[in-house]
Amino acid sequence: MLGPTFKLSQAFIDNFMKKGINICEMMFKSSQEDVIRVLKCLQASTRQLQHLTCHSKVTKDAALTARVPTLKRSLETFVFRVKALLTLHNCHQAFWLGNLKNRNLRGEELVSQAAPSSDENVSGDDDDDVLDHSQSLSF
């Protein structure tokens, strides 16, 4: 079940970057709240995909792990395209980039892959980094 999820998710993200992000750029001034709502929804999905990539590494599933580099590349490109979109419309202050904690499919932090530094995410939980009422995006 996870193999097709990786494959189709990457295809969706790549297609969104080819066509959807351009529509978001055109519609941003007239429908800013709608565009931000779409990006917020995609943000939650990309976070789940990040957790799936961590899961595939932990389980050492060769079929899934083989898809991780291209999926991560697509996710990274997506993040930078969103940043460019917000910067284009003078909303760069609404974008915040942070480090996601490695988590399993249940959302539990993977201690074996935790960063050794003590200055991790100060809030303690990366799931709180969603758009708030001030319309900021965090990736």
Side-chain angles (χ1 to χ4, degrees), residues 47-55 101 103-104 126:
R47 183 170 287 146
Q48 289 300 318
L49 289 172
Q50 168 66 23
H51 296 326
L52 284 174
T53 62
C54 291
H55 170 76
K101 292 181 180 179
R103 296 186 184 271
N104 63 17
D126 62 354

Side-chain angles (χ1 to χ4, degrees), residues 8-22 24 34-50 74-75 78-79 81-82 85 100 129-131 137-139:
L8 295 173
S9 297
Q10 181 177 350
F12 176 81
I13 290 170
D14 291 342
N15 284 324
F16 182 82
M17 285 188 300
K18 288 178 186 171
K19 299 183 183 190
I21 202 81
N22 295 332
C24 288
D34 291 334
V35 170
I36 289 178
R37 217 178 352 258
V38 168
L39 295 175
K40 182 179 179 180
C41 180
L42 285 171
Q43 173 193 14
S45 300
T46 60
R47 183 170 287 146
Q48 289 300 318
L49 289 172
Q50 168 66 23
S74 294
L75 292 172
F78 171 74
V79 167
R81 289 288 306 267
V82 169
L85 167 70
L100 289 177
D129 297 338
V130 220
L131 282 176
L137 283 171
S138 63
F139 284 89

Side-chain angles (χ1 to χ4, degrees), residues 24-32 35-36 86 89 91:
C24 288
E25 287 174 356
M26 291 185 301
M27 299 298 297
F28 195 84
K29 288 196 180 198
S30 62
S31 303
Q32 181 176 352
V35 170
I36 289 178
L86 294 172
H89 294 285
C91 295

Side-chain angles (χ1 to χ4, degrees), residues 57-133:
K57 288 180 182 179
V58 169
T59 60
K60 296 182 171 85
D61 184 331
L64 293 178
T65 305
R67 296 187 182 273
V68 168
T70 54
L71 178 59
K72 282 200 169 210
R73 191 175 314 116
S74 294
L75 292 172
E76 183 176 314
T77 303
F78 171 74
V79 167
F80 288 112
R81 289 288 306 267
V82 169
K83 182 178 181 180
L85 167 70
L86 294 172
T87 302
L88 176 69
H89 294 285
N90 296 321
C91 295
H92 56 277
Q93 70 279 0
F95 185 87
W96 181 78
L97 185 63
N99 293 326
L100 289 177
K101 292 181 180 179
N102 292 321
R103 296 186 184 271
N104 63 17
L105 294 180
R106 294 188 181 126
E108 301 160 344
E109 186 175 355
L110 298 174
V111 180
S112 64
Q113 294 183 358
S117 66
S118 61
D119 59 346
E120 289 184 31
N121 189 346
V122 178
S123 68
D125 190 4
D126 62 354
D127 290 332
D128 293 333
D129 297 338
V130 220
L131 282 176
D132 60 10
H133 299 291

